[in-house]
Amino acid sequence: MKIGIGNDHSALELKAEIIELLKEKGHEVVDYGTYTADSCDYPVYGEAVARAVASGEVEQGILICGTGLGISLAANKVKGIRAAVCSEPYTAKMARAHNNCNILAFGARVVGAELAKMIVETWLDTEFEGGRHQRRVDMIMEIENKD
Ligand code: RB5
């Protein structure tokens, strides 16, 4: 799978570990930055990965900031994006199985590297279940067209 990844300065080291894991598992990774430890603004990277997912440039996205919150909030402003902050594998599984989320987010200051890897592996191994969940996901996305 082609996966886009993005982060702010708080997540540089964790991103490198996640990229290594993704490559080990045979995925193609596009890194949208940030690339240095200099303080930066997470909305830039949240938006970049979200636009790449929304346009089909990549199939799914992974976003990491200090908490996962700011960067996912930015991503969720892009039409077509369902970004979920997941701090443990169960939520990651449900975010795919029931919500068909297309971006996984987590916090480098919240989860350690090993837990983050379990979250990512669970995310990648879980398929959307469709059925009644499709109707609900459609309802979420219709909200974008109401304003
Ligand atoms: C940066 O200090 C921090 O605010 C950011 O990484 C993130 O946690 C925001 O939601």
Side-chain angles (χ1 to χ4, degrees):
M1 193 191 302
K2 195 170 177 182
I3 299 172
I5 193 162
N7 62 290
D8 74 1
H9 52 278
S10 68
L12 209 62
E13 284 177 23
L14 182 55
K15 179 179 71 174
E17 293 205 44
I18 299 300
I19 290 175
E20 200 179 311
L21 171 74
L22 293 170
K23 287 185 175 168
E24 269 170 27
K25 289 179 74 77
H27 298 288
E28 186 183 344
V29 183
V30 183
D31 184 354
Y32 292 88
T34 188
Y35 307 111
T36 74
D38 297 340
S39 182
C40 65
D41 299 323
Y42 54 77
V44 172
Y45 308 98
E47 181 180 358
V49 170
R51 292 208 182 278
V53 172
S55 69
E57 191 176 305
V58 297
E59 289 163 71
Q60 289 192 14
I62 296 178
L63 291 172
I64 323 170
C65 65
T67 57
L69 291 172
I71 204 160
S72 64
L73 289 168
N76 274 317
K77 294 294 180 189
V78 174
K79 207 167 183 177
I81 293 303
R82 293 175 300 282
V85 181
C86 302
S87 301
E88 32 68 35
Y90 178 77
T91 308
K93 186 178 174 76
M94 290 301 124
R96 289 287 310 130
H98 287 189
N99 311 117
N100 200 16
C101 287
N102 45 17
I103 294 185
L104 166 66
F106 48 86
R109 294 173 180 158
V110 179
V111 297
E114 293 311 311
L115 180 55
K117 288 179 198 171
M118 287 175 74
I119 291 167
V120 169
E121 291 198 289
T122 303
W123 173 275
L124 294 172
D125 290 346
T126 309
E127 294 289 329
F128 180 49
E129 288 176 10
R132 68 185 188 283
H133 302 297
Q134 183 63 61
R135 184 181 71 250
R136 294 163 185 163
V137 170
D138 290 344
M139 288 172 74
I140 294 171
M141 302 322 284
E142 277 165 26
I143 296 169
E144 289 180 342
N145 300 320
K146 285 184 179 171
D147 293 324

